[in-house]
Amino acid sequence: MSLQWTLVAGFLYCEIAVIIILMLPFISATMWQKLFRSKFTKSLAAYSNFYFSAFFVILLLLFLDSIRQMQKYSSARDQEVDHGHLDAELQQSMKMFRAQRNCYIAGFALFLAPVIRRLVSLISKQAELIAREVASLKQAQNATETAKKLMQEKEQKDQQENKDNVQNEEFESKIKVLKTQLQEKETDLSKTKKDLESLRSQAEGTNREYDRLLEEHRKLQEQVEKGQGEKKTD
């Protein structure tokens, strides 16, 4: 095997190893995403498109060259078969086998290159989806906790309002009782005032009657004194 095909075979084996490593189940997409976002990988990613395009073009040229060699050795072997030369036929068959081997190696290497790129892209997207899912779960948990806090605060406010309403009802009932008592006191006071006025009017009438009686007593006493004075004069 020539040097170029040895390199292509080595590249194919590396591709197979990379695919196997990428398919390992115990390495999560998040770990691969951390590796892809490392400084070393980012430094390589800056030229990744160039390297990929260059390797892809080289593999494509080698694949086309292997197809050309297959066609070349196939026609040459047919000619040797027609001429009946066994040694030449064996040599052409060996060359045909090598051309086919090179074609398979180049073809598989050419096929696995975009497969690896697609796997890396899918793993990166899966890691992003996982990160979004985790962020969404955290947001949902935060929203749930916030809703619970708001509901608790609302319940506390409702309980406080109920307590305030009960206290207000108690205050209103006390105020009603006090108003009733005040009305009763006012009624009693008005009755007392009326009684005082009636007593005052009675007292005034009694005083007037007493003054009248005193006046009559005085007049009678004067008359008695005058009568006694006239008797003494006689």
Side-chain angles (χ1 to χ4, degrees):
M1 186 182 291
S2 61
L3 179 61
Q4 60 181 3
W5 293 111
T6 302
L7 293 175
V8 173
F11 185 73
L12 175 62
Y13 299 149
C14 291
E15 286 179 333
I16 294 172
V18 169
I19 290 175
I20 292 173
I21 293 172
L22 290 175
M23 297 295 290
L24 291 176
F26 57 86
I27 302 177
S28 63
T30 306
M31 295 178 64
W32 283 118
Q33 184 71 358
K34 290 180 180 179
L35 178 63
F36 296 155
R37 291 184 177 180
S38 62
K39 292 182 179 180
F40 177 73
T41 309
K42 285 183 178 180
S43 63
L44 294 178
Y47 303 98
S48 61
N49 291 326
F50 174 75
Y51 293 147
F52 179 80
S53 300
F55 279 116
F56 191 83
V57 170
I58 292 171
L59 290 174
L60 182 61
L61 292 175
L62 291 174
F63 179 70
L64 295 175
D65 183 64
S66 64
I67 293 175
R68 183 186 63 81
Q69 289 180 358
M70 285 174 59
Q71 292 177 352
K72 174 183 175 182
Y73 295 136
S74 177
S75 60
R77 188 182 64 177
D78 293 337
Q79 291 177 2
E80 294 296 335
V81 170
D82 294 336
H83 290 88
H85 298 289
L86 183 60
D87 293 336
E89 183 181 352
L90 289 175
Q91 289 181 359
Q92 294 298 327
S93 297
M94 186 179 297
K95 291 179 181 179
M96 182 66 181
F97 169 75
R98 290 176 181 175
Q100 290 176 348
R101 179 198 61 191
N102 295 336
C103 180
Y104 295 147
I105 292 173
F108 278 112
L110 188 65
F111 171 73
L112 292 180
V115 170
I116 292 174
R117 189 170 186 178
R118 183 61 177 170
L119 279 175
V120 172
S121 177
L122 291 175
I123 289 172
S124 299
K125 289 181 180 179
Q126 184 182 5
E128 291 178 358
L129 291 175
I130 292 172
R132 290 179 183 176
E133 182 181 1
V134 172
S136 299
L137 288 174
K138 288 182 179 179
Q139 290 179 356
Q141 290 176 355
N142 293 329
T144 304
E145 291 177 356
T146 304
K148 287 182 179 179
K149 288 181 180 178
L150 291 174
M151 291 178 67
Q152 289 177 357
E153 291 178 356
K154 185 178 180 181
E155 289 178 356
Q156 291 177 357
K157 286 182 179 179
D158 292 337
Q159 291 177 358
Q160 187 65 33
E161 288 179 356
N162 292 328
K163 289 181 180 179
D164 293 337
N165 291 329
V166 171
Q167 290 179 355
N168 291 330
E169 290 178 357
E170 291 178 355
F171 289 152
E172 288 178 357
S173 62
K174 289 181 180 180
I175 290 170
K176 288 180 180 179
V177 172
L178 291 174
K179 284 182 178 179
T180 304
Q181 292 178 356
L182 181 61
Q183 289 178 356
E184 291 177 355
K185 296 295 182 183
E186 288 178 352
T187 304
D188 294 337
L189 182 61
S190 62
K191 288 181 180 180
T192 304
K193 286 181 178 180
K194 289 179 181 179
D195 293 338
L196 288 174
E197 288 178 356
S198 63
L199 289 173
R200 185 181 295 172
S201 61
Q202 289 178 1
E204 289 177 354
T206 303
N207 289 330
R208 286 194 298 270
E209 185 66 23
Y210 179 73
D211 292 337
R212 186 181 65 77
L213 291 174
L214 285 177
E215 184 66 26
E216 289 180 356
H217 177 69
R218 186 181 62 77
K219 289 180 180 180
L220 289 173
Q221 191 174 3
E222 288 179 355
Q223 289 177 1
V224 170
E225 288 178 354
K226 285 181 180 181
Q228 289 178 357
E230 289 178 356
K231 287 180 179 181
K232 287 180 180 181
T233 304
D234 294 337

